[in-house]
Amino acid sequence: MNMQDEQDTYLTALAERLRAHGLSADRVEATVADLTAHLEESGAKDPEAEFGPVEEFARQLAPEAATPDGPPEEHVETWRWTADTGVDEELLNRFGDQGWEVERVDAVGRFVSHRDLARPQRWEYRRELITRGREDLDARLAPDGWEACGTWVIYAWFKRPKAASLGPAAEIAAPPPAPERTNFLSRKFYALLAFLGAAVALGGIAAGLDDGDASSGFGFAAGLLAGACVPFGLIIGGRLLLARRNR
């Protein structure tokens, strides 16, 4: 069997194992295409020497399909955290390099993440603006191996395993401990809050001057502030309730 036949046999077997692990046809096709390009660029002659045995490599590419001995809670740790759009992509990719895979974005905007303690893998992420529905984004990004992992208001987040491009190097030998923080809000976020607060105050002053009654301006500003606090209060209250339930 020549080198090309060996590569074709390996990649065909890998595609079959990935489909058996539940990966979509688009994701399997994109993964195999990435691996083929890697073999061509690197000049590697033996794909098994490059990536490892087919079954083992398939589990690296689809870590959610791996089934280590023991109950799932014994080998998987979960972490919920939040960040605004000023820092979310940077943090997602930083934590993805530490083995954290985002499962979903919950009702209060937290990234619900898990990490396999037995064989943590590196992940990468991207955020997209939803303009014409999630389905269009899924169809556009799936050929490159991106898989949806959560939505929040007008944003959608996508993930893909780095094993497709890094091979065995995507596995993390000694991952750092889970971060103690759960909130990562940027300076831009706090600056926006300050700007909104100032705008409300100026609106109240303007209303008071227009009426010739300062008390009406204070009442107007207080009403705006109360209305603005309602959604923030609901979000914070929801987070506290969920955090208590998840203790």
Side-chain angles (χ1 to χ4, degrees):
M1 183 181 295
N2 59 36
M3 180 181 69
Q4 187 60 51
D5 289 339
E6 289 182 0
Q7 291 184 1
D8 291 344
T9 299
Y10 182 93
L11 294 174
T12 299
L14 179 65
E16 291 176 354
R17 297 310 305 148
L18 292 176
R19 285 191 290 268
H21 284 321
L23 269 67
S24 66
D26 288 341
R27 186 172 168 187
V28 171
E29 182 179 351
T31 299
V32 171
D34 287 343
L35 296 175
T36 301
H38 172 79
L39 290 172
E40 292 176 353
E41 293 173 2
S42 65
K45 298 181 180 180
D46 185 353
E48 185 164 348
E50 182 73 10
F51 302 124
V54 169
E55 180 60 35
E56 181 179 340
F57 190 41
R59 291 190 177 185
Q60 292 179 17
L61 294 172
E64 64 273 15
T67 55
D69 295 334
E73 61 270 16
E74 292 185 1
H75 61 81
V76 174
E77 57 181 337
T78 301
W79 176 46
R80 295 170 174 83
W81 58 283
T82 188
D84 62 85
T85 54
V87 293
D88 61 333
E89 281 188 290
E90 176 189 350
L91 292 173
L92 282 165
N93 284 292
R94 181 197 304 174
F95 297 138
D97 269 334
Q98 297 175 8
W100 292 102
E101 177 189 1
V102 173
E103 298 175 352
R104 58 189 172 86
V105 177
D106 66 16
V108 292
R110 296 181 305 177
F111 296 106
V112 181
S113 313
H114 74 265
R115 180 168 65 180
D116 190 328
L117 292 173
R119 304 188 65 178
Q121 300 288 322
R122 301 182 194 276
W123 290 82
E124 59 182 330
Y125 297 89
R126 64 187 292 171
R127 183 190 70 244
E128 296 288 338
L129 181 67
I130 302 174
T131 55
R132 293 181 297 174
R134 249 277 310 280
E135 295 77 9
D136 293 333
L137 284 173
D138 291 348
R140 177 166 60 87
L141 298 177
D144 292 326
W146 293 103
E147 175 187 357
C149 60
T151 57
W152 174 251
V153 190
I154 59 172
Y155 296 106
W157 289 268
F158 292 80
K159 65 182 177 183
R160 67 180 177 186
K162 284 192 171 183
S165 57
L166 298 179
E171 186 169 339
I172 306 170
E180 295 182 359
R181 291 177 58 187
T182 58
N183 289 294
F184 299 85
L185 300 178
S186 68
R187 293 180 179 177
K188 291 182 179 179
F189 178 83
Y190 290 113
L192 176 61
L193 289 184
F195 172 79
L196 292 176
V200 169
L202 289 175
I205 293 172
L209 292 175
D210 185 58
D211 292 342
D213 182 4
S215 63
S216 67
F218 288 129
F220 177 77
L224 287 179
L225 285 172
C229 287
V230 169
F232 287 105
L234 290 174
I235 292 174
I236 293 172
R239 285 179 178 169
L240 292 174
L241 179 60
L242 286 175
R244 181 175 298 178
R245 289 179 177 178
N246 290 323
R247 284 178 181 175

